[in-house]
């Protein structure tokens, strides 16, 4: 049976689009059941509705970039109403806290545009350029209370060129995000992700 | 004119061997002028002598893994006697301090078996496995007062397999170390490494 996925967004939703496209084409074993946003103006909401997916703005109620209190409960309740199996943060610009994480323990993923554990937080493509790394990338990981620190599901590597700008590097990384996030969802849906000693092992993958 | 390189070692010296081999075969524009070790028993000393290269044990005088005081002066003076253009730390198990770094500013490199800035310090292959990263690698960087934090010259990426041990991952990374360390030395020798805003730019490399 196909996995019911919620996608939480704040912005344009390019990762959401790749998840929608690959679920509709059956490249991945998942369907986007609902899209939630803390930003009324998020283009991602329009994308979802265009694809015939229910999409809601839920008031985050605080300006600080966290999801807490009554708003957190509203998100949790909505996710439960839609009976989702997996919650995917995709450019959701709020730190999620203990309660919603516990509610969806090992059922909540995030994508981050760096080769974690390098460059946590925001503006990480600029951080990578400023640091002068020769390779950057993207990471899909389970969400835990450790921000950008949960167990890694998949990563992808891209080269950094000497003349890269934040935009050119971000765009190269984004292409990989669009590949590995749906893949991680598909692995979850097929029940192939096993957690042991805080590491994710992919069943049947000898990795080579 | 070929660059005169000193290599500082504490152990078996496999990176030293690759530098020696590639300088002797003229794959790189450098010659190893002297090898210095803080460990009398280092196999690297034997390797150097076997290759006809002068190799000295210089007493580090302290048990703490740092190079300081009188010992630091002895290293500096010996490096000057041999008129070296570049100092390469290759498994030298001591933290170098301000004085020797200033003496060889932008003329001292180190190799580290991780994709810096991930996993600084010791036992980094084990740290990478415990963290569950999907890619690991090696980094050649200039040495500054920030341990494992100086500007990056070259990096190489390797996959991490699910059944990797510390040994199997280390061995995969080591192959890349043997490739990129000589390459970094060659770029230095050809005066192609330019530092700007604490980043290393490689002249004539569009990186693609």
């Amino acid at each position: 049976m196909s996995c019911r996925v919620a996608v939480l967004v704040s912005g344009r939703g390019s990762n959401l689009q790749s998840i929608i496209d690959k679920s509709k084409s059956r490249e991945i074993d998942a369907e986007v059941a609902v899209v939630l946003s803390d930003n009324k103006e998020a283009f991602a909401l329009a994308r979802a509705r265009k694809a015939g997916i229910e999409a809601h703005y839920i008031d985050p109620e605080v300006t600080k970039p966290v999801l807490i209190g009554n708003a957190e409960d509203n998100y949790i309740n909505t996710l439960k109403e839609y009976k989702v199996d997996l919650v995917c943060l995709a450019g959701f610009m709020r730190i999620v806290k203990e309660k919603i994480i516990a509610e969806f323990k090992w059922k909540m993923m995030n994508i981050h545009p760096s080769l974690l554990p390098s460059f946590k937080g925001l503006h990480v493509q600029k951080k990578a350029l400023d640091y002068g790394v020769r390779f950057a990338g993207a990471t899909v990981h389970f969400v835990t209370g450790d921000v950008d620190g949960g167990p890694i599901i998949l990563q992808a590597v891209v080269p950094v060129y000497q003349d890269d700008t934040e935009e050119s590097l971000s765009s190269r990384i984004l292409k990989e995000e669009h590949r590995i996030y749906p893949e991680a969802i598909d692995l979850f849906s097929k029940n192939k992700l096993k957690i042991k000693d805080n590491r994710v092992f992919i069943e049947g993958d000898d990795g080579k």
Side-chain angles (χ1 to χ4, degrees), chain A:
Chain A
M1 207 185 75
S2 181
C3 166
R4 288 173 63 80
V5 179
V7 184
L8 271 57
V9 294
S10 301
R12 59 187 172 160
S14 80
N15 271 302
L16 168 66
Q17 191 67 58
S18 82
I19 296 165
I20 291 174
D21 292 347
K22 294 193 179 181
S23 59
K24 287 199 178 280
S25 67
R26 312 307 306 155
E27 279 172 81
I28 65 170
D29 199 13
E31 63 171 304
V32 181
V34 67
V35 172
L36 303 181
S37 178
D38 63 331
N39 171 15
K40 211 180 293 194
E41 313 295 331
F43 183 60
L45 290 172
R47 285 189 197 261
R49 290 178 187 132
K50 195 178 167 197
I53 294 163
E54 292 195 44
H56 307 289
Y57 161 70
I58 303 182
D59 190 344
E61 298 183 14
V62 292
T63 50
K64 209 181 152 196
V66 293
L67 186 64
I68 47 170
N70 188 55
E72 186 180 30
D73 288 336
N74 290 339
Y75 276 81
I76 292 172
N77 292 336
T78 306
L79 293 169
K80 285 181 171 177
E81 277 167 30
Y82 279 91
K83 298 186 189 308
V84 301
D85 305 302
L86 176 67
V87 178
C88 291
L89 309 182
F92 187 64
M93 298 302 280
R94 287 178 183 269
I95 291 173
V96 291
K97 295 292 198 176
E98 294 75 10
K99 192 170 178 183
I100 196 168
I101 294 171
E103 199 69 59
F104 294 95
K105 193 172 159 76
W106 304 126
K107 293 178 178 180
M108 187 184 287
M109 294 179 182
N110 183 41
I111 190 152
H112 182 85
S114 84
L115 282 176
L116 289 171
S118 286
F119 310 121
K120 299 182 176 186
L122 297 175
H123 310 299
V124 296
Q125 297 93 340
K126 180 168 191 313
K127 284 179 190 169
L129 287 174
D130 289 348
Y131 198 100
V133 292
R134 300 310 190 193
F135 295 93
T139 304
V140 182
H141 62 88
F142 280 115
V143 175
T144 64
D146 180 9
V147 177
D148 298 330
I152 290 171
I153 301 166
L154 292 174
Q155 293 187 299
V157 178
V158 303
V160 178
Y161 302 136
Q162 299 201 134
D163 59 356
D164 264 330
T165 61
E166 201 179 337
E167 292 66 36
S168 64
L169 178 58
S170 299
S171 152
R172 194 174 309 122
I173 293 170
L174 203 57
K175 272 186 204 155
E176 296 300 307
E177 294 179 43
H178 296 169
R179 181 175 64 80
I180 64 174
Y181 211 175
E183 189 181 337
I185 293 168
D186 190 54
L187 290 167
F188 177 91
S189 176
K190 296 187 162 80
N191 198 28
K192 289 194 174 171
L193 302 178
K194 306 296 173 189
I195 291 127
K196 196 185 150 190
D197 299 333
N198 227 39
R199 284 177 65 183
V200 180
F201 290 84
I202 301 172
E203 213 173 69
D205 176 19
D206 73 352
K208 286 164 197 171

